[in-house]
Amino acid sequence: KNQVEQSPQSLIILEGKNCTLQCNYTVSPFSNLRWYKQDTGRGPVSLTIMTFSENTKSNGRYTATLDADTKQSSLHITASQLSDSASYICVVSHAAGNNRKLIWGLGTSLAVNP
Amino acid sequence: SQTIHQWPATLVQPVGSPLSLECTVEGTSNPNLYWYRQAAGRGLQLLFYSVGIGQISSEVPQNLSASRPQDRQFILSSKKLLLSDSGFYLCAWGGIGGEQYFGPGTRLTVT
């Protein structure tokens, strides 16, 4: 079964600290993996997208890693800010011929406190 | 640049009433369009996608329907709402398996 599991479910950190969010997937065949940030009551916004051959990608203070062998990804946030408080969702694109679908994780809810 | 609009932003409807949510995209032509629902504590669930005018694919059997009367307009409808239709409805545009860009969403509460 194609699944995307994220951990932790929720996380509270202090402003300025770093944190790492995890994503494990069982999607096969794999096309790409994305991380989205979703503010409360808003639509998701893409942070990074990685294909099979990429093992790291950065977007400002956000750095995503991908290990296609172990089917794991992480999102590292450096020097967190209050505006980083949001849900972070891992999404894997399932590539089956011409019918590509996105398999969505449930997200990690991050709260950055002053 | 491309922008995507959804309205209304919030909606409270009684059980059994009809529903119409609208999504429009600007700044691109012939986009792939998507309707998602995000229920509390659940991940995003793809409801419908469209690759062109009048072309609708349904992902999950349900009480909802979708239509694409114009290239950049996508409508989500229901004839009779159920309590289980409550959720956060998101419209997106993009490519199948490619990047998707989301609208601001509509919070629907069925009472």
Side-chain angles (χ1 to χ4, degrees):
Chain A
K1 184 178 180 182
N2 293 310
Q3 285 186 317
V4 175
E5 295 183 349
Q6 294 187 242
S7 62
Q9 183 176 6
S10 62
L11 183 62
I12 301 173
I13 62 173
L14 292 176
E15 186 179 11
K17 298 297 185 182
N18 303 335
C19 68
T20 300
L21 314 180
Q22 299 292 340
C23 172
N24 297 333
Y25 62 93
T26 58
V27 179
S28 181
F30 169 89
S31 177
N32 57 62
L33 183 146
R34 320 117 186 263
W35 283 92
Y36 280 87
K37 177 187 178 187
Q38 185 177 20
D39 292 319
T40 301
R42 306 290 295 274
V45 175
S46 179
L47 295 175
T48 65
I49 180 169
M50 290 183 291
T51 60
F52 182 89
S53 60
E54 298 175 293
N55 56 24
T56 187
K57 183 165 281 189
S58 293
N59 177 1
R61 295 179 296 103
Y62 301 102
T63 299
T65 65
L66 173 64
D67 186 334
D69 292 331
T70 62
K71 299 186 176 181
Q72 296 179 328
S73 177
S74 66
L75 180 68
H76 186 74
I77 304 175
T78 303
S80 61
Q81 301 176 359
L82 297 179
S83 60
D84 292 331
S85 296
S87 179
Y88 292 84
I89 306 173
C90 177
V91 188
V92 178
S93 178
H94 175 249
N98 292 323
N99 185 23
R100 296 187 173 190
K101 293 186 178 181
L102 299 181
I103 311 298
W104 292 78
L106 296 183
T108 291
S109 178
L110 174 65
V112 180
N113 290 341
Chain B
S1 63
Q2 300 86 4
T3 56
I4 180 167
H5 304 279
Q6 284 186 247
W7 64 91
T10 60
L11 191 60
V12 180
Q13 293 283 96
V15 168
S17 64
L19 173 74
S20 181
L21 302 181
E22 190 163 343
C23 169
T24 58
V25 181
E26 297 177 358
T28 184
S29 59
N30 197 30
N32 292 330
L33 296 174
Y34 306 85
W35 276 113
Y36 287 88
R37 176 169 60 203
Q38 189 175 33
R42 305 283 297 275
L44 269 73
Q45 179 186 36
L46 179 62
L47 302 176
F48 302 95
Y49 71 89
S50 171
V51 299
I53 295 175
Q55 301 179 62
I56 309 293
S57 295
S58 174
E59 289 295 304
V60 181
Q62 59 216 318
N63 185 42
L64 302 168
S65 62
S67 62
R68 186 169 177 175
Q70 300 180 43
D71 181 44
R72 289 169 286 180
Q73 184 184 30
F74 205 21
I75 298 173
L76 183 69
S77 304
S78 174
K79 293 182 179 179
K80 290 184 178 182
L81 284 169
L82 306 172
L83 286 174
S84 58
D85 291 325
S86 293
F88 190 46
Y89 288 82
L90 289 158
C91 180
W93 73 271
I96 296 177
E99 191 63 79
Q100 292 188 10
Y101 302 90
F102 288 83
T106 294
R107 175 73 60 190
L108 172 66
T109 303
V110 182
T111 60

